[in-house]
Amino acid sequence: MAKSNGCDKCNDITGASTLDLLNQDLAKQVRTAYDRIEDRGMSACLFGSGGTCCRNCNMGPCQIIDGVESMVGICGATADTVAARNFARIIAAGTASHTDHAREMVRGFIATAKGETPHEIKDVDKLHKMAKIFGIETEGRDKNEIALELGEKALAEFGQQEGELAMVKRAPAKQQEIWRKVGVVPRGIDREITEMMHRTHMGVDQEYQNIMLQAARCALADGWGASMLSTELTDIMFGTPTPKRAIVDLGVLKEDHVNVTVHGHEPLLAESLCLAAEDEEILALARKVGAKGVNLAGVCCTGNEILMRRGIPVAGSFIQQEMVLATGAVEAMVVDVQCVMQSLAQVVKGKHTDIITTNYRAKMPDAIHIQFEEHEAYNSAKEILKHAINNFKKRREFYIPKDKKLDVVVGFSHETINYMLGGRFRASYRPLNDNIINGRIRGVGAIVGCEHYKYADDVHFKIAVELIKNNVLVLATGCAAQALGRRGLLRPEAATEYAGDGLREVCEAVGMPPALHVGSCVDNSRLLIALTEMVNEGGLGEDISELPACGTAPLYMSEKAVAIGQYFVSSGAHVIFQNLPITGAKKFTEFIKGGMKEVYGACWDTEEDPIKLAQKMIKAIDGKREALGINK
Ligand code: XCC
Ligand code: SF4
């Protein structure tokens, strides 16, 4: 890492801990995304960046230049068609990822209901709520019996061919009407992804507005289908998050413990590891090699899942995954699916650390594979931990950035927000609505999604501070939430330090941070429900598009973030990213950034500068306040 060592990029984006680590000799040889981008020595392809490179058939690849007649595709496809197809395929891929994750969780849920896993049905209240939505009888029935029926009905939603997904009816009535009118209510989860891939095949759908209708239906199948199923069933199984204190950043690794980091997305494995880490046999083995125990720490969204439910510390987010290993203090990094950089195996070369892949769907060269068997979850987890414990004695040179860990308060499921603001006697969103109406809180801003090497400053932090300063309550998920945690915004004290008068007053009264950690990427579905509850509580319009709310995933990296963005837009929430791969197609860009508003009441926007992005969010919020007649 010699070249970018101490560079401002890493300093700002990943915080002081990373800089501290990179200044150590042992980390200087580690190559990260920052080095690789410098070494590539060429900038990104303009056609790719602008969305106008098509390789959907073998007559191409075709690079399209909008408005230049000789530069349409060999098949005649225009820039707008190609950009729309590419954008839609990003959404399909993102939706597919959430879907495959959700499917695994549902399968694990069914196995749990059958008593085949070490887990149990924890949140019976939520089980009953979900049963009602799925039309399942609960009266006088055992929780496992209800759960089994719920699991099977949920699993059927993936392959469903006709009708509507069950949870669509949770949305505000007016929103549902819009969806039915334009024909974008998702019929079955897998069906929408398949149809999206088909319609973007060569020579099928060639009208960008029509392509984007299916893209919206596909994204809605993610938000109100796959992701929401995953969140709710995971909550029922592992517990709905409640507020808890925890710590984040590289300093959570422990010198005298076997450090096992869990990275990826599906919490089935991570939850089993949490249980197995307390097993007497495992503890005894750890002591035998001279360690005090096993220290589990999360990375990326798996990190978020166990942080939210168990308060397990987070060692690093997406852009820090290589740094976590560069410490030399990790015995094993256990990974499952999504957001795992292939470089990890190179980072640990010559170190005692093992990268352990655990899912047949996601293997890596130079990693060790220990298949996680959901029916043998506990034993699988123990086998993985034993492997890590064996590595402990081989640990040589290591460096854990001292004092580089930050306190956070996490666990703000939408139920918690309800409870916190509504009080013990009547959990409701009424007080939040009241505070928005009386102007103490200007509105709600969601900061979600990934991190990226691309931008020099701590974009999430800047946007959040600008929002908070202007009395906008921030709800955060994914790696963005972790980034805010590293910069101290997930502490209640941050309200006093950064918030405008109104928001500070509200936060201080309930003792909550001005930025609330709502969960992992699939948990963006919690935001859909929170927004819906705000609508249902009254006083702020009839659907999500009337709420003073706005979302951003500024540093988006993953295709999933675009699927998320699209389901928010299609649900009526305005969404601003720093950039989108659409700039090479003029009419399509105008549609995405304007025309969509006529359909859903919301559209996309882009803004590179973080402060200006935040100000755009505030302006959007003020616009809604104005329309509601509450902008005093
Ligand atoms: Fe991946 Fe979910 Fe993005 Fe982080 S935020 S980089 S998707 S881990 Ni969801
Ligand atoms: Fe080129 Fe058309 Fe084939 Fe795309 S589908 S690669 S634009 S010929």
Side-chain angles (χ1 to χ4, degrees):
M1 183 86 203
K3 246 185 294 165
S4 345
N5 215 356
C7 77
D8 293 338
K9 289 188 293 195
C10 332
N11 180 21
D12 285 347
I13 204 162
T14 55
S17 60
T18 304
L19 190 65
D20 181 6
L21 172 62
L22 291 173
N23 282 327
Q24 308 303 315
D25 280 342
L26 92 166
K28 287 194 174 146
Q29 298 318 312
V30 172
R31 294 172 46 75
T32 68
Y34 297 101
D35 297 294
R36 286 188 294 277
I37 186 63
E38 274 182 29
D39 292 355
R40 283 175 64 81
M42 59 192 270
S43 54
C45 163
L46 282 178
F47 293 96
S49 315
T52 53
C53 169
C54 182
R55 46 180 187 78
N56 289 13
C57 93
N58 196 36
M59 294 201 289
C62 301
Q63 288 111 339
I64 322 281
I65 300 178
D66 202 2
V68 178
E69 219 173 299
S70 58
M71 287 300 283
V72 294
I74 311 278
C75 66
T78 61
D80 295 315
T81 301
V82 168
R85 285 200 303 223
N86 287 335
F87 197 69
R89 282 196 168 198
I90 294 174
I91 290 170
T95 302
S97 310
H98 283 147
T99 298
D100 220 36
H101 164 165
R103 192 191 331 269
E104 284 307 292
M105 295 311 298
V106 174
R107 290 181 61 237
F109 184 82
I110 291 175
T112 299
K114 288 182 177 166
E116 296 169 356
T117 73
H119 314 299
E120 57 178 326
I121 301 302
K122 276 197 185 142
D123 189 339
V124 178
D125 188 44
K126 187 169 264 199
L127 172 71
H128 284 192
K129 278 194 190 123
M130 288 295 289
K132 197 162 166 226
I133 292 166
F134 278 78
I136 297 166
E137 186 57 59
T138 53
E139 201 60 34
R141 293 179 82 190
D142 171 64
K143 64 176 185 181
N144 288 321
E145 207 183 309
I146 303 170
L148 183 57
E149 191 178 339
L150 174 61
E152 280 165 355
K153 286 219 159 121
L155 195 60
E157 291 229 303
F158 293 87
Q160 188 173 296
Q161 299 302 322
E162 302 293 343
E164 298 184 351
L165 296 180
M167 289 187 293
V168 162
K169 55 178 180 288
R170 295 179 93 178
K174 195 170 153 206
Q175 203 65 47
Q176 295 180 44
E177 262 169 52
I178 295 172
W179 294 338
R180 292 197 185 101
K181 200 173 98 221
V182 293
V184 296
V185 180
R187 297 155 293 185
I189 302 170
D190 292 343
R191 176 168 185 189
E192 306 313 348
I193 300 164
T194 306
E195 186 172 314
M196 191 75 266
M197 293 308 285
H198 173 210
R199 279 167 68 162
T200 50
H201 178 276
M202 190 272 153
V204 188
D205 203 349
Q206 336 222 9
E207 197 182 81
Y208 63 84
Q209 299 97 325
N210 205 43
I211 293 171
M212 287 312 294
L213 278 182
Q214 180 56 19
R217 177 147 60 176
C218 186
L220 290 170
D222 181 347
W224 297 88
S227 285
M228 200 174 280
L229 274 179
S230 188
T231 296
E232 303 292 33
L233 269 54
T234 305
D235 277 358
I236 294 174
M237 199 165 27
F238 301 144
T240 301
T242 52
K244 47 185 67 68
R245 288 198 171 268
I247 45 172
V248 297
D249 214 353
L250 299 174
V252 309
L253 298 172
K254 289 182 182 166
E255 195 170 331
D256 50 8
H257 279 62
V258 176
N259 289 308
V260 179
T261 52
V262 269
H263 176 9
H265 280 80
E266 294 167 7
L268 275 170
L269 163 69
E271 283 282 332
S272 302
L273 287 170
C274 292
L275 297 176
E278 317 248 287
D279 186 288
E280 273 310 319
E281 187 198 355
I282 292 295
L283 289 174
L285 283 174
R287 281 192 291 267
K288 217 168 131 192
V289 296
K292 285 194 176 142
V294 176
N295 178 39
L296 277 184
V299 176
C300 279
C301 276
T302 294
N304 283 326
E305 299 268 0
I306 49 181
L307 171 77
M308 290 281 286
R309 295 198 180 83
R310 290 178 174 269
I312 302 275
V314 164
S317 52
F318 173 77
I319 205 67
Q320 285 178 300
Q321 59 187 288
E322 293 157 315
M323 327 286 182
V324 170
L325 298 176
T327 59
V330 175
E331 275 55 59
M333 180 176 268
V334 186
V335 306
D336 57 12
V337 293
Q338 302 168 14
C339 304
V340 179
M341 288 197 198
Q342 190 171 345
S343 60
L344 295 185
Q346 308 317 312
V347 175
V348 299
K349 252 195 187 141
K351 290 191 167 54
H352 76 304
T353 313
D354 279 320
I355 307 295
I356 305 181
T357 55
T358 56
N359 195 296
Y360 75 95
R361 293 173 294 171
K363 295 192 174 179
M364 284 165 74
D366 302 320
I368 293 175
H369 187 78
I370 303 180
Q371 181 61 38
F372 172 70
E373 304 288 354
E374 78 192 19
H375 291 98
E376 279 293 324
Y378 198 66
N379 288 335
S380 284
K382 274 171 77 176
E383 192 189 338
I384 291 166
L385 292 183
K386 283 179 191 168
H387 194 97
I389 291 169
N390 279 336
N391 278 349
F392 183 73
K393 273 206 169 325
K394 294 184 244 163
R395 193 198 286 176
R396 295 284 171 265
E397 197 193 357
F398 68 94
Y399 181 79
I400 300 172
K402 293 229 169 51
D403 305 323
K404 294 297 181 329
K405 52 174 190 254
L406 256 144
D407 292 322
V408 291
V409 177
V410 298
F412 295 94
S413 53
H414 87 83
E415 289 87 349
T416 295
I417 300 173
N418 209 338
Y419 176 84
M420 277 206 81
L421 290 163
R424 205 176 333 156
F425 303 109
R426 184 168 174 256
S428 108
Y429 274 76
R430 188 72 242 167
L432 175 60
N433 285 20
D434 286 344
N435 277 318
I436 290 176
I437 293 165
N438 69 28
R440 270 197 201 97
I441 296 179
R442 195 170 192 149
V444 173
I447 305 181
V448 314
C450 321
E451 291 168 320
H452 204 303
Y453 70 81
K454 246 187 206 165
Y455 295 92
D457 3 59
D458 194 340
V459 171
H460 295 120
F461 178 74
K462 283 191 180 156
I463 295 174
V465 168
E466 186 67 16
L467 292 178
I468 292 166
K469 200 171 79 187
N470 286 287
N471 296 313
V472 175
L473 175 66
V474 170
L475 305 180
T477 60
C479 291
Q482 296 178 2
L484 299 186
R486 286 199 299 275
R487 297 293 293 265
L489 292 185
L490 302 184
R491 299 167 302 132
E493 300 77 25
T496 315
E497 294 159 15
Y498 296 99
D501 291 345
L503 178 63
R504 190 180 66 224
E505 209 180 297
V506 176
C507 290
E508 284 175 348
V510 259
M512 71 180 193
L516 304 179
H517 192 327
V518 183
S520 65
C521 311
V522 291
D523 293 340
N524 283 307
S525 61
R526 296 188 201 280
L527 299 179
L528 293 176
I529 298 298
L531 294 173
T532 302
E533 299 229 352
M534 286 168 70
V535 172
N536 294 343
E537 201 54 61
L540 294 175
E542 278 177 59
D543 78 15
I544 294 174
S545 72
E546 291 183 59
L547 291 175
C550 186
T552 181
L555 297 175
Y556 101 85
M557 169 285 296
S558 153
E559 292 161 315
K560 293 176 284 171
V562 184
I564 293 166
Q566 185 62 55
Y567 74 61
F568 273 107
V569 168
S570 303
S571 301
H574 194 52
V575 172
I576 312 177
F577 278 23
Q578 274 188 310
N579 60 13
L580 287 169
I582 57 172
T583 49
K586 194 162 166 277
K587 277 189 284 180
F588 179 60
T589 299
E590 281 166 11
F591 177 66
I592 291 272
K593 290 190 176 182
M596 259 188 190
K597 201 166 179 176
E598 285 152 39
V599 189
Y600 306 107
C603 62
W604 291 86
D605 199 2
T606 54
E607 172 55 59
E608 294 258 347
D609 181 81
I611 299 295
K612 284 191 191 144
L613 193 157
Q615 283 162 354
K616 269 191 170 182
M617 290 175 77
I618 295 167
K619 201 167 156 225
I621 287 169
D622 282 350
K624 305 288 179 184
R625 296 185 61 88
E626 200 71 49
L628 288 166
I630 56 170
N631 211 18
K632 289 169 278 187

